[in-house]
Amino acid sequence: MRILLVEDYAPLAKATAQALREAGYVVDVVTDGLPALEAAIATQYDAVVLDIMLPGLSGFEVLTALRARKITVGVLLLTARDAVEDRVKGLDLGADDYLLKPFEMAEFLARVRSVIRRRYQNVEGIVRIEDLEVNTIGRTVKRAGVSIDLSGREYSLLEYLAVRRGQIVTRAELLEHVYTEKPESNVVDVFIASLRRKIDGEASVKLIHTRRGQGYVLGTAE
Amino acid sequence: MTRSLSARLTVSLLTVLGLSVLAMGVAIDLTVSALLMRELDATLLDDANALAGMVEPKPNDAWEFDEGDNPRLRGGLVAYEVRLDDGRALGRSVLEQPLQAPTRSVTIEHTPRGDEEVSAEEVSNRKVIVRVERSTHEVDALLARLRLIIALSGLAVIALASVGAVITVRRSLSPLDTLIARLHTIDAGRLDVRLETEQLPLELTPLVARLNDLLQRLEQSFLRERRVSGDLSHELRTPLAGLRALLEVGLATPREAAAYQETLRDCLAVVVQTTHIVERMLELVHVEAMAPLVAWQPFELRPLVEVSWAALSDAASKRGLRFENRVPEKAAIEADQALVMLILSNLLSNAVTYTEPNGLIAVESSPENGLLFSVIDSGPRIPAEAVPRLFERLFRGDPARTSSAHLGLGLAIVEAAVERIGATVTVEQNDMVRFEVTRKP
């Protein structure tokens, strides 16, 4: 999952970015309003964490511009002002959630997860495909009730395929949502192969499918 | 007396009306009863004269009286007595029952005229005395009925007028009710309400205009307070959030020593910055509270400007800024030296931050014209919309604040300090941006 973090106060941006990365997200950090808007338009983020008081465009303006362009990415607003009007205004402009500084990191991460779940209409936080169970809160995976041990990268790939179950996910999309830097071109294929081994290995029903020239689909073959 | 305006108005109206009706009733009663009495007296006088005419002198001081067939004397309504002035009775009425009290009487003295039998000289020394008496019963009954009619119609008028008065008073005061209902909608959260003056009676217009004026000033100061507290919370919460996030992330998993060192360095930087913020705020609070401690003394301004600038000259030369101390030699003012230095260094530091690179900064003074001093820079101009809020606490042109060194407290401190030395600070912008500190000489 790729997250855009827009925060102009450097110490806070640094710490939250690190916390998000350690939670398995790919994070882009932007400190100004205008570059934030450009980034959110250019890249399909899974969530945007948006500070309200920003240089250039304010968080409210960035949010308004995003929604005006029909970009429905989940937005978590951060603010240090406790006025109720600010909260109401943010939510009315189309923010999905709101967090007042200073916050507890665990709560922040929970809210980011919840914004992403809502984006993929996955309210309970568990994606079930046949007997495969991907728990996006605990970051655990089970197949037929048996826990499967995945590396962080493997889990991230599987989670993104899971929330987009049944849809073709291109290699480029996987790279965008799962990798910070541009990796070797075949790295996705390598991780998919190892995922296949762990998820589909001995099962009779295969869940990870390759669409030649297009990408991958997680789900039962139609 | 009741404090309700409508009750007061109604009561006063009805009192005036009641007294008028009463006075009118009394006037009518007095007039009519006087008229009736005069009429009664006239009738009595007629009767008496008629009776006197019935007295006939005879020769040798003999007198005759015949009641005749005067219809008015029959029926027992009139009692009379006719006698001569020497006491001889000539006749009196015979009544079946005595006259009903109260009564009214008239007595006349009549000098009979002579005739062919008795000469005028013979009767001239005699007088006939006639007394006629009549009950006022009929007149009294009439008057009583009149009084009843006056009283009843008076009461009816007052009753009608009461209803009318209540309705009229209520209707005339209804704009007040509307006004009060409108006022009820106002609280600290809804100070944007203004009261309409167009539909109001003229008497209420100035009151409502004053109220609107007051509301506007209240709203402005509330907005200002809210902004300041919002900015303050932003200013303190943001570094706290940073500190907390750094510490939580640092503690989340066991790390290398270098990672801990980095976290500690970041935390220290946040604490240093926050300390600076808190100190500036305390400085402001201190200046605002120090009114009784101002040390008034005359001093020369020029050296003070030099000292204030010295602390900033490094930062200024990095930006290529020129400085001119245009304060005349020996120019002296009377104020608190420490406060003046605080004002100067804040204004100069502000100028060093915002003047465009390679620009000019200068200080001028002309105390004899009321200009204690002014700090001038070559711009850029301050946007017009920012000028009214310049001296507001924590106001900065740029809404994203925390990372910059300027907190937006400098000009608030300047304003507080300027106030302490009995002066005012204003911004003038022509070819230069001028912060002027003036005081009436």
Side-chain angles (χ1 to χ4, degrees), chain A:
Chain A
M1 297 286 159
R2 195 177 199 96
I3 292 175
L4 177 63
L5 173 64
V6 191
E7 167 62 60
D8 66 318
Y9 183 53
L12 186 60
K14 183 176 175 182
T16 39
Q18 190 181 349
L20 286 168
R21 285 190 186 112
E22 287 177 1
Y25 297 102
V26 179
V27 184
D28 296 331
V29 181
V30 178
T31 55
D32 279 31
L34 199 59
L37 180 60
E38 286 163 359
I41 291 169
T43 308
Q44 247 193 19
Y45 284 102
D46 299 292
V48 176
V49 177
L50 187 59
D51 183 27
I52 291 180
M53 280 206 194
L54 290 171
L57 291 180
S58 79
F60 288 140
E61 288 166 323
V62 172
L63 182 58
T64 310
L66 281 180
R67 295 307 188 221
R69 286 173 172 75
K70 305 272 182 265
I71 294 173
T72 55
V73 58
V75 173
L76 170 62
L77 281 181
L78 295 184
T79 183
R81 304 176 69 113
D82 56 356
V84 181
E85 304 95 89
D86 272 14
R87 265 174 273 179
V88 172
K89 186 178 176 191
L91 294 174
D92 280 349
L93 287 177
D96 296 73
D97 207 347
Y98 187 100
L99 198 55
L100 182 66
K101 297 178 196 173
F103 45 79
E104 202 173 323
M105 200 47 79
E107 186 185 358
F108 169 72
L109 292 173
R111 284 181 193 257
V112 170
R113 279 197 299 274
S114 133
V115 164
I116 294 173
R117 279 206 304 281
R118 230 175 298 162
R119 165 146 163 75
Y120 293 107
Q121 277 107 43
N122 169 22
V123 179
E124 58 168 346
I126 297 175
V127 184
R128 291 192 185 81
I129 303 157
E130 294 295 305
D131 55 352
L132 174 71
E133 209 176 280
V134 181
N135 183 330
T136 61
I137 297 169
R139 294 174 70 81
T140 56
V141 179
K142 284 180 185 172
R143 179 101 203 235
V146 181
S147 290
I148 298 172
D149 205 19
L150 296 181
S151 75
R153 201 40 58 82
E154 285 165 353
Y155 172 81
S156 297
L157 267 180
L158 181 65
E159 186 190 68
Y160 190 67
L161 287 170
V163 296
R164 295 195 51 193
R165 52 196 285 189
Q167 300 171 9
I168 295 173
V169 180
T170 65
R171 198 175 272 115
E173 281 177 317
L174 279 176
L175 283 172
E176 190 170 285
H177 285 269
V178 179
Y179 292 90
T180 312
E181 279 93 36
K182 274 262 182 297
E184 301 285 316
S185 62
N186 68 339
V187 75
V188 171
D189 304 297
V190 173
F191 275 105
I192 290 284
S194 96
L195 259 186
R196 273 217 172 95
R197 255 194 326 277
K198 292 183 176 177
I199 303 292
D200 286 343
E202 290 130 37
S204 54
V205 183
K206 305 295 181 200
L207 292 177
I208 301 176
H209 308 281
T210 307
R211 292 274 184 277
R212 198 160 295 281
Q214 298 181 68
Y216 304 95
V217 178
L218 186 65
T220 44
E222 60 274 14

Side-chain angles (χ1 to χ4, degrees), chain B residues 9-29:
Chain B
L9 273 174
T10 313
V11 168
S12 332
L13 268 177
L14 290 180
T15 309
V16 170
L17 188 77
L19 287 175
S20 313
V21 168
L22 189 68
M24 209 163 72
V26 169
I28 292 174
D29 179 68

